Short mmCIF file of all heavy atoms in Angstrom, two decimals:
data_model
loop_
_atom_site.label_atom_id
_atom_site.label_comp_id
_atom_site.label_asym_id
_atom_site.label_seq_id
_atom_site.Cartn_x
_atom_site.Cartn_y
_atom_site.Cartn_z
N ASN A 40 24.58 18.96 36.43
CA ASN A 40 24.38 20.23 37.12
C ASN A 40 25.42 21.29 36.73
O ASN A 40 25.10 22.47 36.67
CB ASN A 40 24.44 20.04 38.62
CG ASN A 40 23.29 19.19 39.14
OD1 ASN A 40 22.26 19.07 38.46
ND2 ASN A 40 23.44 18.59 40.31
N ASP A 41 26.64 20.81 36.42
CA ASP A 41 27.73 21.77 36.13
C ASP A 41 28.25 21.66 34.69
O ASP A 41 29.37 22.06 34.38
CB ASP A 41 28.87 21.53 37.11
CG ASP A 41 29.28 20.08 37.22
OD1 ASP A 41 28.53 19.20 36.69
OD2 ASP A 41 30.37 19.78 37.82
N GLY A 42 27.44 21.08 33.80
CA GLY A 42 27.85 21.03 32.38
C GLY A 42 27.04 20.00 31.62
O GLY A 42 26.01 19.49 32.08
N ILE A 43 27.51 19.68 30.41
CA ILE A 43 26.85 18.70 29.54
C ILE A 43 27.90 17.80 28.92
O ILE A 43 28.99 18.26 28.53
CB ILE A 43 26.03 19.40 28.40
CG1 ILE A 43 25.24 20.61 28.94
CG2 ILE A 43 25.09 18.42 27.75
CD1 ILE A 43 24.64 21.45 27.85
N VAL A 44 27.52 16.55 28.72
CA VAL A 44 28.43 15.58 28.06
C VAL A 44 27.78 15.12 26.75
O VAL A 44 26.58 14.85 26.70
CB VAL A 44 28.65 14.36 28.97
CG1 VAL A 44 29.40 13.25 28.24
CG2 VAL A 44 29.42 14.75 30.23
N LEU A 45 28.60 15.04 25.73
CA LEU A 45 28.20 14.48 24.42
C LEU A 45 29.11 13.28 24.16
O LEU A 45 30.32 13.38 24.28
CB LEU A 45 28.38 15.48 23.30
CG LEU A 45 27.20 16.26 22.75
CD1 LEU A 45 27.64 17.01 21.50
CD2 LEU A 45 25.98 15.42 22.47
N ALA A 46 28.52 12.16 23.78
CA ALA A 46 29.32 11.01 23.36
C ALA A 46 28.87 10.54 22.00
O ALA A 46 27.66 10.51 21.72
CB ALA A 46 29.16 9.86 24.36
N ALA A 47 29.81 10.25 21.11
CA ALA A 47 29.47 9.85 19.76
C ALA A 47 30.33 8.64 19.32
O ALA A 47 31.51 8.59 19.64
CB ALA A 47 29.67 11.04 18.78
N GLU A 48 29.67 7.77 18.61
CA GLU A 48 30.37 6.59 18.09
C GLU A 48 31.15 6.95 16.85
O GLU A 48 30.63 7.62 15.94
CB GLU A 48 29.34 5.49 17.75
CG GLU A 48 29.95 4.25 17.12
CD GLU A 48 28.92 3.30 16.58
OE1 GLU A 48 27.71 3.55 16.78
OE2 GLU A 48 29.31 2.31 15.93
N ARG A 49 32.42 6.55 16.82
CA ARG A 49 33.23 6.75 15.61
C ARG A 49 33.15 5.48 14.79
O ARG A 49 33.43 4.39 15.27
CB ARG A 49 34.70 6.97 15.99
CG ARG A 49 35.03 8.40 16.38
CD ARG A 49 36.50 8.44 16.71
NE ARG A 49 36.91 9.83 16.96
CZ ARG A 49 38.05 10.13 17.55
NH1 ARG A 49 38.86 9.15 17.92
NH2 ARG A 49 38.38 11.36 17.75
N ARG A 50 32.79 5.60 13.52
CA ARG A 50 32.68 4.41 12.67
C ARG A 50 33.87 4.29 11.68
O ARG A 50 34.37 3.23 11.46
CB ARG A 50 31.39 4.50 11.88
CG ARG A 50 30.18 4.23 12.73
CD ARG A 50 29.24 3.24 12.07
NE ARG A 50 28.23 2.78 12.99
CZ ARG A 50 26.96 2.52 12.62
NH1 ARG A 50 26.58 2.72 11.40
NH2 ARG A 50 26.11 2.05 13.50
N ASN A 51 34.31 5.45 11.14
CA ASN A 51 35.39 5.41 10.15
C ASN A 51 36.77 5.47 10.80
O ASN A 51 37.48 6.45 10.68
CB ASN A 51 35.24 6.60 9.17
CG ASN A 51 33.94 6.56 8.43
OD1 ASN A 51 33.22 5.59 8.50
ND2 ASN A 51 33.62 7.64 7.74
N THR A 52 37.09 4.41 11.52
CA THR A 52 38.41 4.41 12.21
C THR A 52 39.43 3.72 11.32
O THR A 52 39.95 2.66 11.67
CB THR A 52 38.33 3.72 13.60
OG1 THR A 52 37.70 2.43 13.35
CG2 THR A 52 37.45 4.50 14.55
N HIS A 53 39.69 4.30 10.16
CA HIS A 53 40.64 3.71 9.21
C HIS A 53 42.02 4.26 9.48
O HIS A 53 42.21 5.47 9.66
CB HIS A 53 40.19 4.06 7.77
CG HIS A 53 40.75 3.13 6.74
ND1 HIS A 53 42.08 3.13 6.42
CD2 HIS A 53 40.18 2.15 6.01
CE1 HIS A 53 42.32 2.19 5.51
NE2 HIS A 53 41.16 1.59 5.24
N LYS A 54 43.03 3.36 9.43
CA LYS A 54 44.38 3.77 9.74
C LYS A 54 44.93 4.81 8.74
O LYS A 54 45.77 5.61 9.11
CB LYS A 54 45.28 2.53 9.73
CG LYS A 54 45.17 1.68 11.00
CD LYS A 54 46.06 0.49 10.94
CE LYS A 54 45.83 -0.40 12.17
NZ LYS A 54 46.58 -1.64 12.05
N LEU A 55 44.49 4.76 7.52
CA LEU A 55 45.04 5.62 6.49
C LEU A 55 44.36 6.98 6.38
O LEU A 55 44.76 7.82 5.58
CB LEU A 55 44.98 4.92 5.10
CG LEU A 55 45.75 3.58 5.01
CD1 LEU A 55 45.55 2.98 3.62
CD2 LEU A 55 47.22 3.78 5.27
N LEU A 56 43.33 7.17 7.19
CA LEU A 56 42.62 8.47 7.16
C LEU A 56 43.51 9.56 7.73
O LEU A 56 44.11 9.41 8.79
CB LEU A 56 41.35 8.40 7.97
CG LEU A 56 40.04 8.08 7.27
CD1 LEU A 56 38.92 7.98 8.25
CD2 LEU A 56 39.71 9.14 6.24
N ASP A 57 43.58 10.69 7.01
CA ASP A 57 44.29 11.85 7.51
C ASP A 57 43.44 12.55 8.54
O ASP A 57 42.30 12.95 8.25
CB ASP A 57 44.59 12.82 6.34
CG ASP A 57 45.51 13.95 6.73
OD1 ASP A 57 45.66 14.18 7.95
OD2 ASP A 57 46.08 14.61 5.86
N GLU A 58 43.93 12.70 9.76
CA GLU A 58 43.18 13.28 10.86
C GLU A 58 42.70 14.70 10.56
O GLU A 58 41.70 15.17 11.05
CB GLU A 58 44.00 13.27 12.14
CG GLU A 58 44.12 11.89 12.81
CD GLU A 58 42.80 11.35 13.31
OE1 GLU A 58 42.03 12.12 13.94
OE2 GLU A 58 42.52 10.17 13.08
N VAL A 59 43.48 15.44 9.73
CA VAL A 59 43.10 16.81 9.41
C VAL A 59 41.76 16.84 8.68
O VAL A 59 40.92 17.70 8.89
CB VAL A 59 44.19 17.48 8.57
CG1 VAL A 59 43.78 18.88 8.13
CG2 VAL A 59 45.51 17.52 9.30
N PHE A 60 41.56 15.85 7.82
CA PHE A 60 40.33 15.83 7.00
C PHE A 60 39.29 14.88 7.58
O PHE A 60 38.28 14.59 6.97
CB PHE A 60 40.66 15.40 5.55
CG PHE A 60 41.67 16.31 4.90
CD1 PHE A 60 42.96 15.87 4.66
CD2 PHE A 60 41.33 17.60 4.56
CE1 PHE A 60 43.90 16.72 4.08
CE2 PHE A 60 42.25 18.46 3.99
CZ PHE A 60 43.53 18.01 3.74
N PHE A 61 39.58 14.39 8.77
CA PHE A 61 38.67 13.41 9.39
C PHE A 61 37.39 14.16 9.82
O PHE A 61 37.46 15.11 10.58
CB PHE A 61 39.35 12.78 10.58
CG PHE A 61 38.53 11.74 11.28
CD1 PHE A 61 38.10 10.61 10.60
CD2 PHE A 61 38.14 11.89 12.61
CE1 PHE A 61 37.34 9.65 11.23
CE2 PHE A 61 37.40 10.93 13.23
CZ PHE A 61 37.00 9.81 12.55
N SER A 62 36.25 13.69 9.30
CA SER A 62 34.98 14.36 9.65
C SER A 62 34.54 13.90 11.02
O SER A 62 34.01 12.82 11.19
CB SER A 62 33.95 13.97 8.61
OG SER A 62 32.70 14.51 8.95
N GLU A 63 34.81 14.75 12.00
CA GLU A 63 34.45 14.37 13.36
C GLU A 63 32.93 14.38 13.53
O GLU A 63 32.23 14.93 12.73
CB GLU A 63 35.13 15.28 14.38
CG GLU A 63 34.51 16.67 14.55
CD GLU A 63 35.14 17.71 13.62
OE1 GLU A 63 34.67 17.78 12.47
OE2 GLU A 63 35.99 18.45 14.06
N LYS A 64 32.46 13.78 14.59
CA LYS A 64 31.02 13.69 14.83
C LYS A 64 30.53 14.88 15.67
O LYS A 64 29.35 15.10 15.79
CB LYS A 64 30.68 12.40 15.60
CG LYS A 64 30.95 11.13 14.84
CD LYS A 64 29.75 10.71 14.01
CE LYS A 64 28.68 10.13 14.88
NZ LYS A 64 27.56 9.60 14.12
N ILE A 65 31.46 15.63 16.24
CA ILE A 65 31.09 16.71 17.13
C ILE A 65 31.55 18.06 16.52
O ILE A 65 32.71 18.21 16.19
CB ILE A 65 31.67 16.51 18.53
CG1 ILE A 65 31.00 15.28 19.20
CG2 ILE A 65 31.47 17.74 19.42
CD1 ILE A 65 31.72 14.70 20.38
N TYR A 66 30.62 18.95 16.32
CA TYR A 66 30.88 20.25 15.67
C TYR A 66 30.67 21.41 16.62
O TYR A 66 29.65 21.43 17.32
CB TYR A 66 29.95 20.45 14.49
CG TYR A 66 29.99 19.38 13.41
CD1 TYR A 66 29.27 18.18 13.59
CD2 TYR A 66 30.68 19.57 12.22
CE1 TYR A 66 29.27 17.18 12.61
CE2 TYR A 66 30.68 18.59 11.22
CZ TYR A 66 29.98 17.40 11.42
OH TYR A 66 29.97 16.43 10.45
N LYS A 67 31.58 22.35 16.61
CA LYS A 67 31.34 23.58 17.41
C LYS A 67 30.57 24.55 16.55
O LYS A 67 30.94 24.78 15.39
CB LYS A 67 32.69 24.16 17.86
CG LYS A 67 32.51 25.28 18.88
CD LYS A 67 33.81 25.77 19.43
CE LYS A 67 33.58 26.90 20.44
NZ LYS A 67 34.80 27.44 21.01
#
Side-chain angles (χ1 to χ4, degrees):
N40 294 339
D41 50 348
I43 317 170
V44 172
L45 260 190
E48 176 190 355
R49 277 181 175 164
R50 287 227 169 143
N51 300 350
T52 53
H53 201 290
K54 283 179 183 174
L55 300 179
L56 265 177
D57 187 345
E58 284 295 315
V59 176
F60 302 108
F61 182 61
S62 176
E63 78 268 84
K64 295 271 286 185
I65 293 162
Y66 302 81
K67 190 173 179 181

